[in-house]
Amino acid sequence: MFGSVKEYFDGRKSKRVERAGRLVTNAKAIKDDRWAALEFLALGLDNADEAIPALLPRFEYSLEHGINDTREKELAMKGIVRYGEKAIPFIKDWLQKTTRIAWPIKILYELGQDQVVVDCLKAALNYGEVAFSQNDVDKNYDILCYLRDYQIHDLIPQIAHFLVDQDERVRYAAAEVLIAQKTDDVKDQLAPFLLDDTSENRRLRGAVAQLFIERQWKVTNPAQFQGGQVTEQISVGADGRLVHN
């Protein structure tokens, strides 16, 4: 008998979780109903396996009313963060699926050490052909922008993959990640841009040239630069180091 009673209440709870989950994903639901569903999922459950997958979809859309949108997302975030490290695998998996990464990354900042954040961001990068999916291009760009804040020496080859991306913003963001690394290991990855005189990479070329000046790196073959000029403002000195004109 007790087993039957437990199954009955478990079944009711499961249906309530499902119902709340549907409300959370519905941007057109009555706001009070959606708020009640969020409160139940965020504060009324003690099971990460049920609560977190139901809360994460709230970050997939934005409401026209910005204040309400932020309040709901903050509540969903609170409901996820309270599970601590248990939430990290869910966030990592979600980042690989979604193109709306800002709030999940906020949660990571609350939950993880730097290495956890880097591992999750790295796993969410798409190394495939994404040129025909603007959302995926934007996602790669956003992730690279976040990675600028971290020392990721072991990821240099993977980040260098994006230096030849079709999207100029992605190329520049990848270069910025490498430029931010406090190691000489990025020199060979960035050096080819010193000879790239294409208009779309002009800004990137200037940033790399400035890095060579700051790090006092020598160019491998100064004779490659016509008239000794790297850019209009930067030239190759007699010792192979770059200098401002």
Side-chain angles (χ1 to χ4, degrees), residues 85-99:
E85 292 185 359
K86 289 182 180 179
I88 291 173
F90 292 97
I91 303 298
K92 186 175 183 178
D93 289 344
W94 190 261
L95 281 172
Q96 294 176 49
K97 303 171 187 174
T98 185
T99 58

Side-chain angles (χ1 to χ4, degrees), residues 211-222:
L211 181 67
F212 267 68
I213 292 174
E214 293 172 0
R215 302 277 179 92
Q216 289 291 290
W217 288 337
K218 293 182 179 181
V219 296
T220 304
N221 185 1

Side-chain angles (χ1 to χ4, degrees), residues 6-25:
K6 183 178 184 301
E7 287 179 7
Y8 171 74
F9 283 107
D10 285 346
R12 290 185 62 186
K13 180 183 176 184
S14 177
K15 289 179 180 179
R16 188 178 179 190
V17 171
E18 290 178 10
R19 190 161 53 247
R22 287 196 297 271
L23 282 168
V24 166
T25 62

Side-chain angles (χ1 to χ4, degrees), residues 1-235:
M1 183 180 72
F2 288 114
S4 299
V5 171
K6 183 178 184 301
E7 287 179 7
Y8 171 74
F9 283 107
D10 285 346
R12 290 185 62 186
K13 180 183 176 184
S14 177
K15 289 179 180 179
R16 188 178 179 190
V17 171
E18 290 178 10
R19 190 161 53 247
R22 287 196 297 271
L23 282 168
V24 166
T25 62
N26 186 359
K28 296 181 179 180
I30 297 171
K31 69 176 184 177
D32 290 340
D33 290 346
R34 190 171 55 243
W35 181 261
L38 283 165
E39 281 192 317
F40 167 66
L41 294 170
L43 307 176
L45 290 178
D46 292 313
N47 186 331
D49 292 341
E50 290 181 320
I52 296 176
L55 288 167
L56 283 168
R58 181 56 191 86
F59 305 120
E60 287 296 287
Y61 61 88
S62 296
L63 302 175
E64 289 186 9
H65 196 293
I67 295 176
N68 287 342
D69 186 64
T70 300
R71 285 181 67 236
E72 289 187 10
K73 287 175 177 173
E74 286 177 343
L75 179 57
M77 178 175 169
K78 180 179 179 180
I80 295 171
V81 167
R82 73 189 183 99
Y83 289 103
E85 292 185 359
K86 289 182 180 179
I88 291 173
F90 292 97
I91 303 298
K92 186 175 183 178
D93 289 344
W94 190 261
L95 281 172
Q96 294 176 49
K97 303 171 187 174
T98 185
T99 58
R100 293 176 174 260
I101 65 174
W103 279 88
I105 290 174
K106 281 185 183 182
I107 297 172
L108 276 182
Y109 286 161
E110 291 284 330
L111 292 173
Q113 301 297 321
D114 284 356
Q115 192 56 52
V116 171
V117 177
V118 170
D119 287 345
C120 292
L121 291 174
K122 175 187 70 173
L125 283 168
N126 189 332
Y127 296 91
E129 178 54 62
V130 299
F132 297 106
S133 173
Q134 191 59 48
N135 285 336
D136 287 328
V137 172
D138 291 343
K139 178 180 177 180
N140 278 343
Y141 170 73
D142 289 340
I143 292 172
L144 290 168
C145 288
Y146 283 109
L147 285 172
R148 285 180 305 195
D149 296 330
Y150 299 94
Q151 294 300 302
I152 52 168
H153 298 171
D154 58 325
L155 295 181
I156 288 172
Q158 290 96 316
I159 300 303
H161 166 87
F162 295 99
L163 292 174
V164 295
D165 195 272
Q166 293 187 37
D167 189 280
E168 178 184 354
R169 299 171 309 136
V170 172
R171 292 196 302 274
Y172 193 81
E176 285 190 310
V177 175
L178 297 184
I179 287 170
Q181 303 309 303
K182 298 175 182 178
T183 174
D184 291 345
D185 292 345
V186 300
K187 177 184 174 183
D188 291 341
Q189 308 283 0
L190 294 170
F193 287 104
L194 295 175
L195 292 164
D196 188 338
D197 59 0
T198 58
S199 59
E200 60 267 25
N201 282 333
R202 184 178 292 117
R203 188 167 65 115
L204 204 163
R205 185 187 193 189
V208 172
Q210 184 59 40
L211 181 67
F212 267 68
I213 292 174
E214 293 172 0
R215 302 277 179 92
Q216 289 291 290
W217 288 337
K218 293 182 179 181
V219 296
T220 304
N221 185 1
Q224 289 179 299
F225 300 94
Q226 187 174 2
Q229 290 296 124
V230 180
T231 69
E232 292 181 1
Q233 295 82 27
I234 297 173
S235 60

